[in-house]
């Protein structure tokens, strides 16, 4: 699936990933391939993701934001 993390200043990350862990308003949740469509707000915390072909978990700190999941594209707008 494709992950896009965008801030007001820059594209933080765009690429293929196997999993994304997000700090949702109702608690942390994980998005995997073929996840149901959803829109959620995010609270301050850490976004964790694993790129395809890698075992390394990368992180991005966020002060909050929103996420849209649709058809194996995870679009995250952070601030």
């Amino acid at each position: 699936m494709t992950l896009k993390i965008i801030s007001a200043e820059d594209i933080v990350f765009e690429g293929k990933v196997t999993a994304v862990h997000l700090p949702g308003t109702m608690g942390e949740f994980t998005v995997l391939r073929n996840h149901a469509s959803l829109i959620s707000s995010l609270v301050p915390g850490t976004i964790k993701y694993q790129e395809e072909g890698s075992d390394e978990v990368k992180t991005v700190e966020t002060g909050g934001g929103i996420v849209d999941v649709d058809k194996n594209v995870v679009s995250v707008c952070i601030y």
Side-chain angles (χ1 to χ4, degrees):
M1 80 186 147
T2 302
L3 172 62
K4 299 176 185 178
I5 303 176
I6 303 162
S7 72
E9 297 84 31
D10 200 8
I11 296 172
V12 178
F13 176 80
E14 184 170 1
K16 298 289 186 181
V17 299
T18 56
V20 183
H21 308 279
L22 299 151
T25 304
M26 302 289 287
E28 187 171 308
F29 64 98
T30 301
V31 177
L32 301 172
R33 183 181 241 4
N34 296 322
H35 196 285
S37 296
L38 70 84
I39 296 175
S40 177
S41 56
L42 302 176
V43 296
T46 304
I47 298 168
K48 301 173 197 161
Y49 62 93
Q50 190 171 356
E51 291 186 74
E52 281 187 2
S54 173
D55 290 333
E56 180 183 357
V57 175
K58 296 189 178 179
T59 62
V60 174
E61 295 299 319
T62 180
I66 59 170
V67 60
D68 174 62
V69 179
D70 190 39
K71 297 178 182 163
N72 287 318
V73 177
V74 181
S75 301
V76 183
C77 183
I78 59 172
Y79 47 86

